[in-house]
Amino acid sequence: MAVNVYLWTSLKKFTNEEDRLSIEAKSIGELVGVLERDFPGLKPFIDSGISFAVNGELSNPNSNEPLPDGAEIYLMQKLKGG
Amino acid sequence: MNKIHVKTNINGDHVEFLADPRETLLDCLRDHIGLTGSKEGCGTGDCGACSCIFDGDLVSSCLVLGVEAQGKSIETIEGMAGEEDLHPLQKKFIEMAALQCGFCTPGILIAAKALLDRNNNPTENEVRYWLAGNLCRCTGYDKIIRAVMETAKEIQETA
Amino acid sequence: MQYHTPSSFNEAVAISNSSSGLIKYLAGGTDVLVQLKIGNKSPDHLIDIKNIPGVRDVTLRKDGGYTIGAAVSGVQLTGHKKISNKWPGLVEGMELVGSAQIQSRATLVGNLCNGSPAADSVPGMIAAGASVSVINSFGTKDVLVEDIPTGPGSTSLENGDIVTAIKLPKRNKYEGDAYLRFIPRTEMDIAVVGCAVNLSLENGVITAAKVVLGAVGPKMIIANAAADCLIGTKLDGNILSRFSTECSQIAQPISDKRGSKEFRKDIIGVIAKRAATKAYARALGNN
Amino acid sequence: MAKDEITKEFKYIGTRPNRPDGYDKVTGRAKYGADVSAVGMLHAAVLRSPYAHARIKCINWEKAAKLSGVKAIVTRDDFPNGKDEDTLKLLENTIAGEFAYYDGHAIAAVAATSVFAAKEAIKAIEVEYEVLPHVIDVDEAIKPDAPVVRENAGDFSVPEGCSPNVASYIEFGRGDISNGFDKADLVKSGRFKTEAAHQGYIEPHACMAQLDHDGQGEMWVCTQGHWYIRQMCAAVLGLESSKLCVTPSEIGGGFGGKTTIFIEPLALALSKKSGGRPVKIVMSRAEVLRATGPTASASMDVKIGMTKDGYLTSGSVEFRMQGGAFGGSPVSEALQCAFASYNMPAVHHIGYDILANRPRAAAYRAPGSPMAAFAVESLIDEICTDLSLDPIDVRLKNAVKEGDKSSYGPKFKKIGLIETLEATKDHPNYSVSLEVNQGRGVAAGYWMNHGGETSVSVSLAEDGSVNVTVGTPDIGGSRASIALMTAETYGIPYDSVSVNIAETGALGFNEPTHGSRATLASGKAVYEAANQTISEMCRRVARKWQIDPDAVFWEKGYAKPAGPNAGDFSPISIKQIASEMDKTGGPIAGHHEASIRGVGHSFGVHIADVEVDPETGRVTVLRYLVVQDAGRAIHPSYVEGQFQGGAVQGIGWALNEEYVYGADGCLQNAAFLDYRIPVASDLPNIDTIIVEVPNPDHPFGVRGVGETGIAPPLPALANAVAAATKVRLRSLPMSPAKVLKAIKTGSDGC
């Protein structure tokens, strides 16, 4: 089951200049594992706090909730609020 | 530093306290008498959160020394409500949501009361200028001004 | 810090003479308490003059002028109908000092003795030709208000001098004054520039003028050259624009957090022009 | 109540009852940060750096320690080392180590038996400084030869060759922007600058803390989030989190500025060093302005293309934001907000987070969004003017709607920008005729809103009234909105609900009242927790009726048989269930813990009418309108209050608020006298329209409402000033001096 992962431009240098990846993952937690394994340059970004938007909805990096097939996932910098 | 024995009247009660002459009236109200309703937002007379009535005059209690209270009569927010009920301004502020965080509210209520005691039919502009010494960061003043105007209207109607 | 409450000015002078260290006088306290809060050094002696009889009185003298006690507050002054009618410019200068809360406490004398070149009530007093009564161990004397400020935060008053009252001269028909200042907000700011204008008219023609500029020099500037160009006119033609330029040229502002030199020079002329127009209208109407 | 019922009429939601804490707050009884004392309490004062940048060579506090009444002095040496990087930054900002990084940076703290004694002791501490070069302005700080604020401050994201003051870098976008610009009939670009603004809450930071040598402590503090305080204090002091009990006082405003620590660890450390005596620290206003907040200052390059019929074809931004000596400016949020209102084929964003010798930027209401809105909405207005297009029509043509991809990627669900624009256009303010020297400005703004970690509980009292316990401090009426949602969920009167804000030991973790989340997130969690108790009540009634629990349903405060097949039973009220609960199984309570999602994005549109004095440059706001999608206004008065308060903060930022630094890098206007927040006489009434396009992911349709309102005023006023003067100001604040200069020279030099 593959999901579509979109990265922000400055991450491309760690993903062979791809800003869109198709990755086999059933949960965000699993996705993070794959990203860190295949693209180790992403690890510091993920470690420093990152948000995942799954079909328009923010999710936790360690979430075990199942991902819908073909989900559109955006990696986003962690947000602040006032 | 020698402390000075001050005898005064606060909200109708005889009160005595020992003041370091460097202490402001606000310090004395809050720290010696336990009346913490008057707030310190700046300590330099710029925000009005410490507003009190001092011998009939609206003052910033951070700009009055505690020792100056000797023989005076002071009204604070704690004395604003009657025994039975809130002051009309207090009621109107709650009803019309004229407060958000509530920190500036005691000072604004005291200042607004001082205005309405002098002039129960102020224009909106008069209210805005009178309350210019009372900073509020939450409300944008809109609901505060409306509540004061509405209270004035009610006071006139019942008078 | 020792706190004193003398019951006469003589007693205040005696306390002052017998005390060492930094001595401050407390009238309205709106500057002294701020200095206590943020200043590096507290005074050693604080002499509260408010218990002295007469300090909160406004009296009409035999010569027709008014004497305003050293502890008369802004609220008292603005509430005094006769002074407000005769010297609206002087009164509005005082009224612009701070908030309603400040007005209950602040005094003309305090505003003067604080020595700020931006003090709102001082240009009006100077333009009015007001003087102060000063007491010290040698006796009492009258000094023109314009001779008191000497620079930012400093005055010509010496240790042991206590100002007991402000004296306003008699007001005549067809005279009028005005004070305007510029601030970024509508209230609660220190003047970026200020200007007081006091005019005397005969048949609508200006016969005497005093123009005082605030916050554009180390102390208030008496703009005689600008005042001169008003004399003999009815503020008609291009007089106001000449006057405005003259005031801008006379001003010697500095750049600080409240405004640049250039901006102050620009707007002092505008404010002066507007103050002159207002003073003139008042003089015309003041019969 | 099911989610598909959100369009239904509500009985309590949408009404305007008195807030539960109203009485306390109008009588002076409400207790804020500085309002408590304890037996044996000490007062503390903090020594702060008089330099913008200095090496601290030596701190000699022996003389101070000998002064009468002095009980404890702490410096950096009293705090444990060996922290992770984030904790180290927090600690560095709490108390300086080797370097003081900004004017006002804490150096040492003293606890003494009186405030005066503490202040005297501060003066007696001797510090030897080696003054170092400093940098204040963001465009200066990014230059390669700028003074280095902190060595090796750049993180892994920073490209090679950047100034050492670049802390992080981000770049994202989509589409082909150069192709987009080619398709435009008009392409404009410009540089925009905003100054740092302080949150300006009227209550200075204050806390009272107590910490024993066994590591157990407690704290009373004014904060937006006491779990954050606990977490951060525990981290910098090396304490076990659960042993520190943090109780939030009432809070006198926060706006993002009270979501982190400043004095709190100092109070704990002083208490420990003085043998566990309670220590109170209350900041002065000058300390608040010098050492807390503010938001970032920004320098922003924007380029936008539009067709002559008003369609946006392409946009690019490069934002440089200075967030103080430790980084953390909201540059990525600003970038996300920049084009979020518009459906554009191509957008590109670059952002730099830059260090300067200023206090560490704290969150401030929609962090980053106001700056972005100022740059983008100003430039769109310039293009509309040049192409003679109506600014609302242009925004309607380009407005994002459900299903559109946002400028930063994810798709929008149901959103209300179009409805908001239409309501704005219909308002009478848009057609009032203007006179000479007057101008009208329109601008939109966006905030994504936030859900976040949330824990709540509800419990039924024996008389059928309900206690709700939440962990989000009430800054602007959230007790009232939470009580309304609770009343609606149960179908019981608003007055039968009490909302309590609990200390850290009473609930699971809660993020602060930030990100416009209190009503949204605590409300959603309370709805879930209340429904647990409703299920339990239905179960107990089912047992009583000896029917299946599924055959009992809840309506308007009563358990009822689900239908004729369930049996013929008289409904049982919550009161009766409550009165019998000791006999039917004991206490009835529910709780809910979650990371709340489904925040619902928030859009607002403002119209400002101004008059400009052409001789002095002074701007007077004549009329002001805020239109914003609230999703669902739970308590409309407090929603309006958020709109109005946000707008006025934005007006202050646009016109007169700024940090003024001297050549020495020290802050010159650390008082409300010269840090000029708007006063009552500066303003007209602020008109509001609450648009309600319910958030489909919230049980009552709520979207956060707190933050969006601060973004549009900056460009709305700039656009209005431009309309009034025919001169475009591209830097804030639009202080009289700057406006006058622009009128005289045709530009503000930005």
Side-chain angles (χ1 to χ4, degrees):
Chain A
M1 199 174 68
V3 294
N4 295 312
V5 179
Y6 297 79
L7 299 102
W8 70 78
T9 311
S10 23
L11 299 182
K12 282 200 308 188
K13 61 180 168 183
F14 307 109
T15 57
N16 311 317
E17 291 302 313
E18 294 292 334
D19 59 5
R20 191 171 159 177
L21 307 166
S22 181
I23 287 177
E24 293 286 328
K26 290 190 279 298
S27 70
I28 291 287
E30 199 179 319
L31 172 65
V32 167
V34 174
L35 287 175
E36 289 185 348
R37 183 194 67 206
D38 293 353
F39 309 103
L42 296 180
K43 193 172 178 343
F45 289 87
I46 294 168
D47 288 348
S48 74
I50 203 167
S51 300
F52 295 82
V54 181
N55 293 334
E57 192 73 64
L58 288 180
S59 185
N60 290 338
N62 58 355
S63 170
N64 291 320
E65 270 178 56
L67 288 171
D69 193 17
E72 187 182 272
I73 298 172
Y74 277 85
L75 268 56
M76 296 178 45
Q77 293 209 319
K78 202 175 176 186
L79 294 176
K80 296 180 198 70
Chain B
M1 197 70 54
N2 287 334
K3 292 201 172 185
I4 295 175
H5 183 185
V6 179
K7 298 178 185 176
T8 189
N9 186 295
I10 300 176
N11 301 325
D13 295 331
H14 177 76
V15 173
E16 299 185 28
F17 58 91
L18 286 177
D20 182 312
R22 295 169 294 181
E23 285 176 310
T24 64
L25 175 59
L26 178 63
D27 295 334
C28 294
L29 289 171
R30 293 177 54 85
D31 300 339
H32 299 325
I33 307 164
L35 296 177
T36 56
S38 306
K39 307 299 181 193
E40 180 163 321
C42 69
T44 49
D46 301 314
C47 80
C50 64
S51 295
C52 290
I53 307 292
F54 186 75
D55 252 14
D57 288 328
L58 174 67
V59 299
S60 292
S61 60
C62 75
L63 292 189
V64 178
L65 289 176
V67 290
E68 291 183 75
Q70 173 65 37
K72 306 288 190 198
S73 165
I74 296 155
E75 294 165 49
T76 71
I77 185 66
E78 288 88 349
M80 190 165 168
E83 283 178 12
E84 298 288 313
D85 206 352
L86 295 176
H87 185 277
L89 275 165
Q90 292 173 309
K91 275 198 243 178
K92 199 54 75 182
F93 267 54
I94 298 177
E95 273 169 40
M96 295 182 68
L99 57 144
Q100 282 179 32
C101 80
F103 190 79
C104 71
T105 308
I108 289 188
L109 284 167
I110 287 286
K113 178 177 179 291
L115 172 64
L116 297 189
D117 286 348
R118 282 162 182 72
N119 173 9
N120 67 14
N121 189 21
T123 64
E124 185 195 319
N125 216 34
E126 283 170 339
V127 176
R128 285 189 176 275
Y129 273 86
W130 181 268
L131 292 179
N134 289 84
L135 299 179
C136 169
R137 190 60 156 172
C138 294
T139 64
Y141 302 103
D142 183 293
K143 291 186 189 302
I144 292 172
I145 304 301
R146 288 176 200 270
V148 175
M149 295 295 289
E150 194 62 28
T151 310
K153 207 172 127 196
E154 273 190 17
I155 289 174
Q156 289 162 56
E157 280 164 6
T158 54
Chain C
M1 188 182 85
Q2 263 192 286
Y3 174 70
H4 307 271
T5 52
S7 51
S8 70
F9 278 111
N10 283 329
E11 190 188 339
V13 170
I15 295 167
S16 169
N17 285 339
S18 63
S19 304
S20 57
L22 183 62
I23 299 167
K24 287 267 182 186
Y25 299 93
L26 181 66
T30 53
D31 288 312
V32 172
L33 266 81
V34 174
Q35 288 154 10
L36 263 180
K37 181 90 184 179
I38 61 178
N40 272 325
K41 185 164 165 40
S42 308
D44 300 290
H45 295 274
L46 187 63
I47 303 177
D48 185 343
I49 62 159
K50 286 194 297 298
N51 292 344
I52 298 172
V55 288
R56 296 203 67 169
D57 293 347
V58 177
T59 48
L60 179 61
R61 298 189 309 272
K62 281 185 186 152
D63 66 2
Y66 282 93
T67 297
I68 301 165
V72 169
S73 67
V75 168
Q76 267 183 284
L77 192 67
T78 44
H80 197 287
K81 291 232 163 55
K82 287 192 172 155
I83 293 184
S84 297
N85 284 335
K86 289 175 191 291
W87 302 100
L90 187 151
V91 172
E92 68 202 359
M94 184 67 219
E95 204 177 358
L96 288 173
V97 177
S99 58
Q101 287 85 342
I102 303 289
Q103 283 293 306
S104 299
R105 301 272 294 168
T107 64
L108 286 170
V109 170
N111 204 220
L112 174 63
C113 294
N114 190 46
S116 164
D120 281 311
S121 74
V122 180
M125 287 195 277
I126 295 175
S131 57
V132 292
S133 298
V134 177
I135 188 168
N136 56 30
S137 49
F138 305 107
T140 61
K141 59 182 176 182
D142 283 359
V143 183
L144 281 175
V145 169
E146 64 187 61
D147 293 332
I148 300 290
T150 53
S154 67
T155 66
S156 59
L157 297 167
E158 295 184 12
N159 280 345
D161 283 353
I162 304 175
V163 177
T164 61
I166 303 277
K167 292 166 92 170
L168 299 180
K170 181 179 189 302
R171 198 57 158 158
N172 298 311
K173 276 187 183 178
Y174 302 112
E175 293 181 341
D177 69 341
Y179 173 77
L180 289 176
R181 66 171 180 186
F182 182 83
I183 55 172
R185 291 182 291 188
T186 50
E187 274 281 5
M188 303 306 289
D189 292 335
I190 304 291
V192 177
V193 304
C195 175
V197 177
N198 186 19
L199 301 175
S200 306
L201 315 184
E202 267 175 39
N203 301 322
V205 176
I206 297 170
T207 55
K210 191 149 189 178
V211 177
V212 184
L213 312 180
V216 289
K219 59 175 187 167
M220 277 70 188
I221 296 175
I222 301 172
N224 285 329
D228 286 348
C229 70
L230 300 179
I231 291 174
T233 77
K234 296 182 169 185
L235 290 191
D236 40 5
N238 60 356
I239 290 298
L240 278 174
S241 120
R242 266 180 54 204
F243 172 69
S244 171
T245 310
E246 195 69 48
C247 287
S248 290
Q249 278 169 3
I250 293 168
Q252 304 159 359
I254 54 160
S255 292
D256 66 11
K257 62 185 170 186
R258 293 178 184 136
S260 69
K261 188 177 162 179
E262 297 71 30
F263 179 60
R264 284 187 158 119
K265 262 189 169 295
D266 273 348
I267 59 167
I268 186 65
V270 174
I271 296 303
K273 181 175 75 178
R274 293 177 184 178
T277 308
K278 201 168 173 183
Y280 183 78
R282 282 173 174 165
L284 269 183
N286 187 3
N287 47 16
Chain D
M1 192 172 304
K3 289 180 189 176
D4 57 1
E5 290 180 55
I6 57 176
T7 51
K8 264 194 180 174
E9 283 296 306
F10 293 112
K11 185 165 183 192
Y12 302 105
I13 284 172
T15 62
R16 301 173 185 244
N18 292 346
R19 62 193 284 170
D21 51 337
Y23 211 95
D24 277 354
K25 285 181 177 165
V26 299
T27 55
R29 273 204 289 277
K31 295 286 178 220
Y32 292 82
D35 293 346
V36 299
S37 298
V39 174
M41 185 179 81
L42 302 173
H43 300 265
V46 180
L47 176 67
R48 297 184 180 277
S49 170
Y51 301 108
H53 194 189
R55 183 190 305 275
I56 299 166
K57 295 171 78 173
C58 140
I59 303 175
N60 186 347
W61 45 262
E62 280 176 17
K63 262 189 230 166
K66 285 179 187 144
L67 291 177
S68 160
V70 173
K71 297 295 174 189
I73 297 176
V74 294
T75 64
R76 179 61 173 274
D77 293 343
D78 294 284
F79 291 79
N81 285 316
K83 307 290 183 198
D84 65 76
E85 200 172 333
D86 282 348
T87 307
L88 187 62
K89 281 187 198 169
L90 271 176
L91 175 59
E92 277 281 344
N93 191 48
T94 304
I95 189 157
E98 193 183 350
F99 298 97
Y101 289 114
Y102 55 91
D103 167 42
H105 197 169
I107 307 288
V110 177
T113 50
S114 75
V115 175
F116 293 113
K119 285 184 179 167
E120 285 303 315
I122 286 299
K123 286 182 199 164
I125 297 176
E126 293 160 356
V127 185
E128 202 183 318
Y129 295 99
E130 177 194 340
V131 179
L132 300 171
H134 65 270
V135 63
I136 297 294
D137 180 74
V138 61
D139 286 326
E140 292 298 320
I142 201 174
K143 287 181 181 166
D145 56 348
V148 178
V149 176
R150 275 172 47 243
E151 298 286 350
N152 306 315
D155 74 5
F156 40 80
S157 67
V158 179
E160 278 185 33
C162 280
S163 154
N165 292 326
V166 175
S168 70
Y169 171 86
I170 183 157
E171 183 183 349
F172 62 89
R174 66 147 183 264
D176 181 344
I177 53 165
S178 48
N179 181 37
F181 287 128
D182 288 345
K183 285 182 179 159
D185 293 304
L186 181 60
V187 176
K188 291 198 86 157
S189 60
R191 172 165 292 189
F192 296 83
K193 289 192 83 164
T194 61
E195 242 313 326
H198 196 274
Q199 293 79 352
Y201 31 80
I202 311 298
E203 182 196 28
H205 296 261
C207 68
M208 184 177 79
Q210 191 270 328
L211 179 63
D212 282 313
H213 282 279
D214 65 359
Q216 300 199 58
E218 54 186 354
M219 181 183 291
W220 164 269
V221 58
C222 62
T223 178
Q224 290 174 250
H226 36 304
W227 277 269
Y228 268 27
I229 297 287
R230 182 179 81 166
Q231 185 180 38
M232 292 175 188
C233 285
V236 301
L237 288 159
L239 302 173
E240 203 168 15
S241 242
S242 61
K243 290 198 173 130
L244 181 60
C245 175
V246 183
T247 304
S249 69
E250 292 304 322
I251 171 172
F255 316 111
K258 290 178 183 164
T259 54
T260 186
I261 51 169
F262 297 102
I263 48 176
E264 295 81 3
L266 302 179
L268 287 164
L270 285 168
S271 173
K272 187 174 174 188
K273 216 172 172 183
S274 64
R277 288 176 72 165
V279 172
K280 180 162 156 179
I281 306 186
V282 181
M283 273 194 178
S284 69
R285 178 55 49 184
E287 287 181 290
V288 171
L289 287 166
R290 285 170 73 203
T292 74
T295 186
S297 64
S299 169
M300 302 169 284
D301 294 330
V302 189
K303 186 176 177 186
I304 292 172
M306 196 190 282
T307 64
K308 60 180 184 297
D309 51 356
Y311 287 96
L312 293 163
T313 60
S314 194
S316 68
V317 291
E318 182 184 304
F319 288 177
R320 298 165 294 274
M321 290 184 155
Q322 167 285 126
F326 302 96
S329 74
V331 66
S332 69
E333 290 84 350
L335 295 173
Q336 288 179 24
C337 292
F339 294 116
S341 298
Y342 305 115
N343 192 6
M344 294 164 71
V347 286
H348 189 244
H349 312 74
I350 292 175
Y352 295 89
D353 179 23
I354 297 163
L355 307 188
N357 292 107
R358 299 204 193 195
R360 183 176 201 236
Y364 181 22
R365 208 167 195 154
S369 184
M371 300 83 146
F374 174 61
V376 169
E377 294 289 295
S378 290
L379 194 62
I380 288 178
D381 193 70
E382 289 184 42
I383 298 173
C384 290
T385 305
D386 288 359
L387 294 175
S388 302
L389 296 169
D390 178 89
I392 297 185
D393 287 344
V394 165
R395 285 171 174 87
L396 274 166
K397 279 181 182 167
N398 296 283
V400 284
K401 58 185 184 306
E402 185 174 5
D404 287 346
K405 274 198 170 191
S406 67
S407 55
Y408 52 90
K411 264 185 201 150
F412 286 117
K413 295 189 178 178
K414 185 77 186 157
I415 49 173
L417 176 57
I418 288 173
E419 291 82 348
T420 303
L421 284 161
E422 284 169 347
T424 311
K425 203 174 174 186
D426 291 343
H427 191 276
N429 279 22
Y430 198 51
S431 50
V432 176
S433 62
L434 297 173
E435 292 167 21
V436 65
N437 296 324
Q438 298 182 347
R440 175 166 299 145
V442 175
Y446 165 75
W447 186 246
M448 52 288 274
N449 289 334
H450 181 62
E453 293 178 78
T454 308
S455 308
V456 303
S457 71
V458 298
S459 61
L460 192 59
E462 65 285 354
D463 57 1
S465 62
V466 170
N467 276 111
V468 180
T469 303
V470 300
T472 42
D474 182 352
I475 307 190
S478 59
R479 281 184 184 93
S481 61
I482 289 165
L484 280 166
M485 289 183 281
T486 309
E488 196 72 56
T489 307
Y490 284 106
I492 61 174
Y494 168 79
D495 288 339
S496 297
V497 181
S498 293
V499 180
N500 170 43
I501 293 148
E503 35 87 1
T504 49
L507 289 172
F509 189 86
N510 274 282
E511 281 185 40
T513 298
H514 70 166
S516 300
R517 70 179 283 276
T519 295
L520 177 127
S522 287
K524 195 169 179 178
V526 166
Y527 170 81
E528 299 292 344
N531 274 315
Q532 285 174 15
T533 65
I534 287 173
S535 300
E536 175 62 17
M537 287 191 283
C538 289
R539 267 195 295 278
R540 292 198 189 183
V541 168
R543 216 176 295 149
K544 182 174 181 141
W545 288 339
Q546 298 192 329
I547 61 175
D548 191 89
D550 289 342
V552 180
F553 86 109
W554 188 264
E555 188 181 55
K556 293 175 182 166
Y558 287 84
K560 298 177 178 175
N565 293 342
D568 184 17
F569 302 105
S570 299
I572 300 183
S573 71
I574 189 170
K575 271 195 172 61
Q576 193 183 335
I577 299 168
S579 69
E580 295 168 352
M581 93 188 143
D582 57 338
K583 300 176 198 77
T584 59
I588 296 177
H591 61 100
H592 188 75
E593 295 80 21
S595 278
I596 301 293
R597 298 186 203 164
V599 294
H601 306 257
S602 166
F603 295 88
V605 181
H606 294 197
I607 305 179
D609 285 359
V610 304
E611 180 164 325
V612 180
D613 182 336
E615 289 186 316
T616 64
R618 200 165 184 296
V619 177
T620 303
V621 182
L622 302 171
R623 256 167 244 106
Y624 203 94
L625 172 68
V626 181
V627 187
Q628 189 179 314
D629 176 17
R632 170 81 61 200
I634 301 300
H635 191 305
S637 295
Y638 290 102
V639 173
E640 291 160 3
Q642 289 297 320
F643 290 4
Q644 292 164 333
V648 168
Q649 289 184 349
I651 290 170
W653 197 344
L655 294 183
N656 280 312
E657 291 180 35
E658 67 180 311
Y659 268 48
V660 181
Y661 283 94
D664 59 359
C666 292
L667 185 63
Q668 295 196 332
N669 59 334
F672 275 142
L673 186 62
D674 289 300
Y675 184 80
R676 303 187 191 95
I677 75 171
V679 300
S681 49
D682 292 343
L683 298 159
N685 282 335
I686 308 294
D687 302 320
T688 57
I689 302 176
I690 303 174
V691 174
E692 292 187 297
V693 176
N695 171 9
D697 293 324
H698 191 277
F700 303 110
V702 170
R703 298 176 196 275
V705 297
E707 296 179 279
T708 304
I710 196 176
L714 285 64
L717 284 165
N719 297 344
V721 168
T725 61
K726 316 295 175 232
V727 184
R728 171 63 57 173
L729 276 88
R730 286 177 167 174
S731 67
L732 297 184
M734 294 181 288
S735 57
K738 209 186 276 177
V739 174
L740 187 64
K741 186 180 170 198
I743 292 171
K744 290 193 165 191
T745 64
S747 147
D748 66 347
C750 189

